[in-house]
Amino acid sequence: MAWKWRYSNKEEMEDQNRHQPGLTGLQNLKNTCYMNAVLQCLCSLPQLVDFFLSGHWNTALRVEIGECATAFGCLMSDMWLGNYDYVSPEAFHSVFGKRYPAFSRRTPHDAQEFLLCVLEELHEAFKESSRHRASAEASRGSGSSTSIIKQLFEGQLSHRITCLKCKTITNRPESFTILSLPIPSGTVCSLEDCLECFFQPDTLTWNNQIHCCWCGTNQDATVKATITRAPQIIIFHLKRFAWQDKHRRKLSTPVCYPFNNLDLSPYSSTFLYNNEVYSLCAVVNHAGDIDYGHYTAFCKHSATKHWYSFDDVQVTRIPDAAVQTDTAYLLFYTRQGF
């Protein structure tokens, strides 16, 4: 397949003198701002950029299902190695829509749902071949496959479930690539408040009862989640869209989030090493309401260390203070020192 990118008609001699790699806008294909914002964040992550620009992805690719990953790699290369003000993600959108038909329609979509599908698609494209995986799993006694996506983004929770009748405790593991955090009610809150709300114990009653193997019947129980494996890059989804009185509405509560030294140890198992401190590296914003809204991205450039706003084809340097916004929807944090 031939990959063709659309670029601006500005004079290239001027662009060559001032264009900074990784600061390339993306053309809106009609209602695809959700896609552009997510792609800008993913293409700003140094670990993912290094993987694609180094050429390692070519040898790791499962060619038979790698069309989307190939389009993603070509787009990444064009954004970092080209001299364009903006390019078109049309090739990626086309092949991605074949795999996920819902996104082929040029109608508004949820950025978090799109991000989940992109990460899953890239994981499938780069996970170990069955023969290599069987050998690796035999050596480590594991039944799971790995990929660059899993290595970077996947963490693990443990749900500690206590039967309120017999006090039996069971632990249920759960892998995650995005943590969807509730937003506490109030005029303003912090990301730590959202985390506290997510990790606080919950009581399961009525239709939510658990089946206790010791009691032999459904019983009331408490459940508390903890992080047992912290990912290198952790993504938080702020649950701004909620149901109220059978109507879906957007929560506009401002959420204050730290730029550095986000400590996840209070929500982690005690046996984890003290390396769960993170720095903000990218943000997906959603402005407007449910029926009519617009997505943009803020990304920290890995070379200049400056923050930039990506609004489709428009790329603008912004002061650090502007990154703290009431429209934040997805927050990307990378582990400090990684």
Side-chain angles (χ1 to χ4, degrees):
M1 178 179 294
W3 305 101
K4 296 182 179 179
W5 308 108
R6 298 177 183 173
Y7 50 88
S8 67
N9 293 322
K10 291 187 177 181
E11 296 181 18
E12 293 189 16
M13 289 300 294
E14 181 184 356
D15 286 350
Q16 289 173 0
N17 292 330
R18 64 180 175 82
H19 184 80
Q20 183 75 243
L23 299 180
T24 304
L26 293 173
Q27 184 180 10
N28 192 316
L29 306 177
K30 186 180 179 182
N31 295 316
T32 56
C33 58
Y34 71 92
M35 177 180 70
N36 290 350
V38 168
L39 291 177
Q40 289 288 6
C41 289
L42 290 176
C43 291
S44 73
L45 302 174
Q47 304 93 326
L48 211 56
V49 173
D50 290 345
F51 176 74
F52 279 95
L53 297 190
S54 67
H56 292 324
W57 70 280
N58 286 301
T59 56
L61 183 68
R62 299 174 66 195
V63 179
E64 68 277 10
I65 59 169
E67 192 175 14
C68 286
T70 300
F72 182 88
C74 290
L75 183 61
M76 174 85 79
S77 177
D78 206 64
M79 293 168 68
W80 278 88
L81 303 179
N83 288 315
Y84 311 126
D85 282 341
Y86 65 87
V87 295
S88 172
E90 187 170 3
F92 176 82
H93 181 268
S94 176
V95 296
F96 190 81
K98 294 177 183 177
R99 293 280 290 172
Y100 299 89
F103 292 103
S104 65
R105 298 186 294 273
R106 302 196 179 184
T107 55
H109 290 282
D110 182 78
Q112 184 250 355
E113 294 176 359
F114 173 73
L115 175 58
L116 278 171
C117 293
V118 172
L119 293 177
E120 176 61 24
E121 185 67 16
L122 293 178
H123 166 67
E124 289 296 322
F126 293 116
K127 71 181 182 181
E128 296 167 339
S129 65
S130 58
R131 184 172 60 181
H132 180 216
R133 187 168 66 250
S135 175
E137 289 166 2
S139 65
R140 64 175 180 262
S142 172
S144 62
S145 58
T146 189
S147 71
I148 181 64
I149 301 303
K150 186 171 183 177
Q151 292 165 12
L152 292 177
F153 296 97
E154 187 178 275
Q156 190 169 65
L157 300 173
S158 178
H159 297 277
R160 181 184 173 95
I161 302 172
T162 304
C163 174
L164 292 181
K165 181 178 181 181
C166 70
K167 307 304 179 183
T168 297
I169 297 174
T170 56
N171 290 286
R172 296 181 182 175
E174 177 190 6
S175 298
F176 70 89
T177 51
I178 300 175
L179 280 184
S180 292
L181 305 180
I183 299 177
S185 58
T187 56
V188 65
C189 69
S190 67
L191 179 61
E192 289 83 355
D193 293 332
C194 298
L195 286 164
E196 287 287 347
C197 189
F198 179 88
F199 285 103
Q200 70 179 356
D202 193 15
T203 302
L204 306 178
T205 61
W206 298 96
N207 293 334
N208 293 321
Q209 287 182 326
I210 58 101
H211 181 80
C212 177
C213 59
W214 287 98
C215 297
T217 57
N218 290 344
Q219 297 292 339
D220 292 350
T222 59
V223 59
K224 177 174 172 53
T226 56
I227 300 174
T228 54
R229 187 176 73 247
Q232 296 174 11
I233 299 171
I234 190 165
I235 306 171
F236 298 115
H237 163 228
L238 301 179
K239 298 173 69 174
R240 292 200 176 276
F241 302 111
W243 289 95
Q244 185 179 53
D245 300 328
K246 298 182 179 180
H247 296 285
R248 200 164 180 245
R249 65 185 183 92
K250 182 180 178 182
L251 302 178
S252 57
T253 305
V255 178
C256 299
Y257 39 91
F259 284 33
N260 297 292
N261 301 319
L262 173 65
D263 187 5
L264 296 185
S265 60
Y267 322 106
S268 304
S269 300
T270 55
F271 62 82
L272 285 182
Y273 293 106
N274 187 26
N275 62 350
E276 297 89 44
V277 181
Y278 291 78
S279 293
L280 185 70
C281 57
V283 181
V284 169
N285 303 293
H286 181 272
D289 55 29
I290 292 178
D291 297 323
Y292 182 80
H294 182 61
Y295 286 99
T296 60
F298 295 155
C299 302
K300 188 174 184 179
H301 195 272
S302 57
T304 68
K305 306 303 180 184
H306 298 308
W307 282 92
Y308 293 86
S309 169
F310 295 84
D311 185 353
D312 292 328
V313 300
Q314 298 296 323
V315 181
T316 310
R317 180 178 168 180
I318 58 175
D320 291 0
V323 180
Q324 183 70 240
T325 174
D326 297 346
T327 59
Y329 185 54
L330 297 171
L331 301 171
F332 293 70
Y333 281 85
T334 186
R335 183 183 293 163
Q336 291 180 190
F338 174 74

